[in-house]
Amino acid sequence: MNRIKRRIFNIINHDENGNLASKIFDLFMIALIIVNVVTIIADTFSAIPIVFKNVFRAVDIFSLAIFTVEYILRLWTADLLYPSSIKYKARLKYAFSFMSIVDLLSILPFYLPFIFPFDLRVLRMIRLLRLFRLFKINRYTDALRTVGNVIKKKAAPLISSFAVVFILMIIASVIMYNIECDAQPEVFQNAFSGIWWSIVTLTTVGYGDIYPVTVFGKILGAVIALLGIGLVAVPTGIISAGFIESVDNDKKENENLEELNEKLNKLEYKLDTILTKLESYDKENKKD
């Protein structure tokens, strides 16, 4: 049983050693997730014949069965993922991890209607949780895994930069409301109107649906727009720096591995030479 469990664990988890079964599993899951997202989008078209609707339903049920089995197997093998924890703690630890929550949200829409009597409009919103299956691709691809690792490593500076942007956004929205509320009471009704303006301005989108008309409001808007150019670019710079570091680290690791392999080859050559000399020495001694 332990051998079977270990084998299943190696297959469903990304294997960096090039396990063929693991690669096939990853490709199958990626294809299944892409098909699911395509069917979710296609299902929004009313002109699609009922035959295709039934096909979409069959694909959804088949995918659900696969994703449910995968989720159960990952819970079952969680103690191998967290070997330092006892079984039930390892499973709890996995159950509350980000990818586990994504897995759970991707299968919940099918099971929830059997448990709770939902209104049809609420049910439609719950079914949108199926889009969480798209996040599952992160588990099966090296590229998206690299993105996740970079964001994880740069979490602290990213949070700091977003916090600065958020604080500036709140300050600007309240000030703008107080400046413009008398001139445009129907537009700047409260601070939330100012928040929408500050988001649009800081991100340099500028929809034009809400804007200042007073002199002080225009000055503040210009200042916020200029600050937005720099501040919004900060998270991009942090992530870019993280990618450069990741590439450099991978390059160094490859160089170190090549250097190590070269040293091992030289050592192997020296050992072969020594063994050859020892053999010839033994033969000469036997002749004597």
Side-chain angles (χ1 to χ4, degrees):
M1 181 61 75
N2 287 333
R3 286 185 64 187
I4 295 171
K5 191 175 185 179
R6 172 63 66 177
R7 178 63 175 162
I8 291 171
F9 175 79
N10 289 335
I11 291 172
I12 65 176
N13 287 280
H14 182 70
D15 191 357
E16 295 179 353
N17 297 323
N19 186 303
L20 181 61
S22 180
K23 285 185 176 180
I24 292 171
F25 175 79
D26 290 349
L27 290 172
F28 172 74
M29 294 301 290
I30 290 170
L32 191 61
I33 291 165
I34 292 171
V35 168
N36 265 258
V37 174
V38 170
T39 58
I40 290 169
I41 295 170
D43 198 31
T44 61
F45 292 87
S46 57
I48 289 181
I50 191 67
V51 176
F52 290 104
K53 296 276 187 179
N54 292 332
V55 171
F56 296 159
R57 178 65 176 168
V59 168
D60 190 32
I61 293 171
F62 172 74
S63 304
L64 177 83
I66 298 296
F67 293 145
T68 303
V69 171
E70 183 207 13
Y71 181 74
I72 293 169
L73 289 175
R74 288 187 183 280
L75 274 177
W76 181 48
T77 59
D79 55 310
L80 297 177
L81 186 63
Y82 305 106
S84 59
S85 303
I86 57 179
K87 286 186 178 181
Y88 83 91
K89 284 188 176 180
R91 284 166 187 155
L92 280 173
K93 190 175 181 180
Y94 173 75
F96 287 100
S97 65
F98 174 75
M99 287 310 302
S100 175
I101 292 169
V102 168
D103 291 343
L104 188 61
L105 289 175
S106 69
I107 61 177
L108 271 181
F110 183 84
Y111 296 110
L112 283 177
F114 295 105
I115 304 171
F116 304 103
F118 288 110
D119 180 76
L120 289 176
R121 288 170 296 178
V122 177
L123 181 60
R124 177 173 289 185
M125 294 303 295
I126 291 171
R127 284 176 64 80
L128 290 177
L129 290 174
R130 291 182 300 165
L131 286 171
F132 272 86
R133 293 172 189 176
L134 192 60
F135 289 101
K136 287 165 66 66
I137 293 181
N138 178 65
R139 176 185 280 127
Y140 310 109
T141 57
D142 289 328
L144 290 176
R145 196 177 297 107
T146 301
V147 174
N149 290 335
V150 168
I151 293 173
K152 190 175 180 181
K153 288 179 181 178
K154 297 295 180 180
L158 279 173
I159 291 170
S160 299
S161 63
F162 282 125
V164 171
V165 172
F166 178 75
I167 291 167
L168 179 62
M169 182 182 70
I170 296 297
I171 293 171
S173 64
V174 174
I175 294 174
M176 183 60 76
Y177 165 73
N178 284 283
I179 292 173
E180 295 289 324
C181 65
D182 293 332
Q184 304 183 80
E186 71 287 351
V187 176
F188 287 90
Q189 298 176 3
N190 48 52
F192 286 105
S193 302
I195 288 174
W196 171 246
W197 167 83
S198 63
I199 291 171
V200 172
T201 306
L202 274 171
T203 55
T204 67
V205 175
Y207 286 118
D209 57 335
I210 180 169
Y211 53 87
V213 294
T214 63
V215 174
F216 289 114
K218 289 179 180 179
I219 292 170
L220 177 62
V223 171
I224 295 301
L226 291 171
L227 288 173
I229 294 171
L231 287 175
V232 175
V234 171
T236 306
I238 292 170
I239 293 173
S240 299
F243 276 116
I244 293 170
E245 286 178 15
S246 180
V247 170
D248 288 341
N249 289 335
D250 290 341
K251 188 177 179 181
K252 285 178 182 178
E253 285 180 6
N254 290 332
E255 288 176 353
N256 290 335
L257 283 173
E258 288 177 2
E259 188 178 346
L260 182 61
N261 286 329
E262 189 178 346
K263 287 180 179 180
L264 287 172
N265 289 332
K266 287 180 179 179
L267 182 61
E268 187 178 358
Y269 175 77
K270 288 180 179 179
L271 286 172
D272 288 339
T273 306
I274 292 168
L275 287 172
T276 304
K277 288 181 178 180
L278 286 172
E279 285 176 2
S280 61
Y281 180 75
D282 287 339
K283 286 179 182 178
E284 288 177 1
N285 287 337
K286 284 179 181 179
K287 286 179 181 180
D288 295 337

